[in-house]
Each structure stands twice: as structure tokens, then as C-alpha cells.
Amino acid sequence: MSFRIASSPHQHNQRSTAQIMRMVTLACLPGIVMQAVMFGYGVLIQLLLAIVTAWLSEAAILTLRNRPVLPRLKDNSALLTAVLLAVAIPPYAPWWLIVIGTAFAIIMVKQLYGGLGNNLFNPAMAAYVLLLVSFPLQMTQWLPPASLQLVTLTPFDALCSIFSQYSCSGFSLSQLQSGVDGTTMATPLDTLRTGLSRGFTLTENMHSPVFYAFAGSGWLWVNLAYLAGGLLLIQQNIISWRIPVAVIASMFVLFAIASLVAPDSLAGPLFHLFSGGTMLAAFFIATDPVSASTTDKGRLLYGSLIGVLIFLIRSFGGYPDAIAFAVLLANMTVPLIDYYTRPRTYGHRTRSELK
């Protein structure tokens, strides 16, 4: 009988790391499909570009490190990183954006720290922040949902737009951003922030066509799809319920209190839970087994910290969504959280008990 020492992520079940990563990727499919339906075929092209770049980057750096390539590629960790980054950026962003971001995530954030199990930060979110800070214009060019688009885009239009920034019929990306009413549209969170900064009240802002019911048009269904995939992961015991519940609960409580205190300037909790990438973050990003807390109490604290940071940045910071910054800041606290929340060793007694 032989024993093998392996790096994290460790799971208390019979599934291998490759199986876990593959199941998490499959659980993203409902959200990916809904994003493609709501925001166009560009999502699928970005996915393909990200996956190919992740595999090539991982193979190249592993070759330079004299490590076996095929076994590392088969663990599906690079695949999952590529998927999470691809669905986080605008579907019609230029092709080089996802290539730079994915290569940075794999080479700089993952492999230069020692590979899977050794990285301090979530690779996809670190790459997202790099792209957002370096290329803010390209990272904020989201098209309106399909129901509000002025031009219906085919798969070939999506391909042309990503590689040339013009559709096959000659429309520029700025023209494609125009809704059916002719006005340039942005994400619900960005639209709300911009409107409030111009002196409009919350009620006046919510008259924009980018909003639907209590959330953003299109984003409500995308978040519900990721919620369904996340609940499946919990049911299959792939992820712990503690982190997503802590993220969602802390956001709900804080935004509920804030909306009562300042009803004309801060939206309610349902708007923030189902607009932007909240459900994707709660179930698929914050639960990263490498960069997240590993103790039960620590996971509750870690998830709550992410929820608090999202609330603070969305309400008072300069970035509308705030998820990537919240996750990376919480990643920095994980060693401290795990140290103070680690379970006591069986049979161990403290000094006070010995007295």
C-alpha cells in the first residue's frame, strides 16, 4: 500500500481533483447558456479563446519548469480558471483581452506560485482586476440584453466583432451598445451608479429599460441560472454551503439596512443579489478550494467578509460590481482566518484548563 502526498484542493470524498473541477465547470453551463441567450454568441467565442490560451500557457510554463504536462492539464484547474474569466468579461471584448488575462492568470498567478494548491489569490479574479485596471474601456463595453439590442447579431457577427470590433454588417461596438431607444446602454450596476452621481433618485433611475422587475434586464435570469448550478454543487457535496450562504446573507442584511436608511440612493438587497455577477461569485469564485478558507468557522467569516466588501465598494467605492476586488482582499486574510478558526486538536487542553 502506497501513500501519495498531494497539494490542495482536498475533499472528504472519493472524487479526484479532476472530477471536482470538471463538475464545477459543468455546473457553470446553465449560467453560460443563459449568458449566451441574453448577451449573444460572443460568450461562447470568449470561452473557446480562454480555454485554448489556458491550456497552451499551462503547457508552456510546465515545460519550462520540467514538470509533466499532460497530468497537470487533465486536472481541469486551468479549464475552470479559463471558464470563470471568460464569463466575467464583456462578451464582445477584443480577442487579445481574454488572451492576456488568461495567460496572466495561469502563468503569473498560478504557476509562478508553484502551481495548483500554492496560489494565494484566485487566478481568474486577479486576471480580471489586471484587465479592469489596464483596459477600463474594453472591460466596460457590455452590450444590452438581446431584447433591447438594436441589431440582432449572428455567430459570424460575434466573431467579426471580437476580432475586428466591427460586425459583419459594419456596425461598430459603440453602435451595438445602443438599445432600441437609441441610447447607449451599460450594465444595471453601472447605470444606477452613473444616474445617482448625476443627481437622479433611485426611483427615477429604475425607469431605464436596462432594469427589469427588481433587478437588471437579462442579469436576473443569468443569476438565477448560476444559482441553480451552485445549488447543484452543494447538493453533490462539491462545495460547502457556508461560503455562498455567508456571502448572500451578509449582502442581503447590509443592503436591506442601507435601503431603509437611504431609500433614494441605495437599491434594495434583491437588486444587488440578482444584478451583476453576485451568484457567480458566491457559488463559483468565492468557493475556490485553494484561495478560500478551509475551516468551517473560517468559511463563514470569509464569506461574510466578501459580502461586506462588496457592499462597501458598490455603495461607496469607484467600481460598480466590486466582486473581484472583494475576493482578492478576502484572499489576503485567509491565512489569518484559518489560524484563528482552526479546530482544537482532539485531546488538547488549553493552559487555563490545565490550571
Side-chain angles (χ1 to χ4, degrees):
M1 184 176 180
S2 61
F3 295 91
R4 181 172 62 89
I5 300 176
S7 64
S8 57
H10 304 295
Q11 297 285 341
H12 295 291
N13 54 41
Q14 299 303 312
R15 298 186 181 97
S16 65
T17 298
Q19 290 174 321
I20 293 169
M21 296 294 178
R22 182 168 59 250
M23 292 185 72
V24 174
T25 304
L26 291 175
C28 287
L29 286 180
I32 293 171
V33 171
M34 191 57 66
Q35 274 190 255
V37 170
M38 292 294 173
F39 298 102
Y41 298 100
V43 176
L44 305 180
I45 298 173
Q46 299 287 359
L47 275 170
L48 181 60
L49 289 172
I51 291 170
V52 171
T53 303
W55 282 341
L56 291 177
S57 300
E58 184 120 306
I61 199 70
L62 286 171
T63 301
L64 290 175
R65 295 179 59 208
N66 294 319
R67 297 289 191 272
V69 175
L70 196 57
R72 297 295 185 270
L73 291 180
K74 286 183 177 180
D75 66 18
N76 295 317
S77 60
L79 172 66
L80 181 57
T81 297
V83 169
L84 293 178
L85 181 59
V87 299
I89 71 169
Y92 293 90
W95 64 271
W96 48 264
L97 197 73
I98 190 64
V99 171
I100 292 174
T102 306
F104 177 82
I106 298 299
I107 296 174
M108 303 300 293
V109 186
K110 180 184 175 185
Q111 287 297 335
L112 290 190
Y113 274 88
L116 181 64
N118 298 297
N119 49 284
L120 174 63
F121 298 104
N122 183 294
M125 291 299 96
Y128 181 90
V129 168
L130 169 77
L131 296 176
L132 185 60
V133 173
S134 303
F135 311 102
L137 177 61
Q138 289 81 2
M139 286 293 288
T140 54
Q141 291 181 328
W142 283 84
L143 267 63
S147 60
L148 300 176
Q149 288 178 9
L150 186 63
V151 180
T152 302
L153 298 176
T154 66
F156 293 105
D157 285 321
L159 197 63
C160 292
S161 297
I162 290 173
F163 282 93
S164 70
Q165 296 298 280
Y166 287 90
S167 68
C168 296
S169 48
F171 289 98
S172 67
L173 194 60
S174 59
Q175 290 174 313
L176 295 175
Q177 281 185 281
S178 299
V180 291
D181 59 354
T183 59
T184 301
M185 308 193 73
T187 62
L189 290 169
D190 191 47
T191 300
L192 179 62
R193 174 181 292 275
T194 303
L196 291 173
S197 66
R198 293 177 178 176
F200 294 101
T201 65
L202 178 63
T203 304
E204 291 170 334
N205 276 300
M206 295 299 285
H207 287 301
S208 170
V210 77
F211 300 109
Y212 171 78
F214 55 82
S217 179
W219 294 96
L220 171 61
W221 301 109
V222 171
N223 275 281
L224 287 173
Y226 281 117
L227 172 61
L231 293 176
L232 176 63
L233 291 179
I234 293 177
Q235 190 272 329
Q236 292 293 315
N237 199 30
I238 301 297
I239 62 174
S240 169
W241 59 267
R242 291 172 177 82
I243 291 177
V245 167
V247 172
I248 294 171
S250 58
M251 287 182 63
F252 185 91
V253 171
L254 289 173
F255 280 112
I257 296 173
S259 63
L260 292 175
V261 174
D264 290 332
S265 58
L266 292 173
L270 291 180
F271 171 82
H272 285 280
L273 290 179
F274 292 98
S275 297
T278 303
M279 294 301 167
L280 175 67
F283 290 96
F284 296 94
I285 295 174
T287 55
D288 175 26
V290 177
S291 58
S293 179
T294 57
T295 66
D296 288 346
K297 293 180 180 178
R299 286 168 177 162
L300 291 171
L301 183 58
Y302 172 79
S304 299
L305 177 60
I306 291 176
V308 170
L309 289 171
I310 291 175
F311 165 75
L312 292 174
I313 298 173
R314 283 188 181 182
S315 301
F316 310 107
Y319 293 93
D321 206 330
I323 285 171
F325 293 98
V327 171
L328 294 181
L329 289 170
N331 287 161
M332 297 173 63
T333 67
V334 166
L336 187 66
I337 291 174
D338 282 352
Y339 178 81
Y340 283 104
T341 60
R342 59 185 175 182
R344 192 170 65 175
T345 305
Y346 178 75
H348 173 79
R349 290 189 294 173
T350 63
R351 291 183 177 181
S352 60
E353 290 174 331
L354 289 173
K355 292 179 181 179

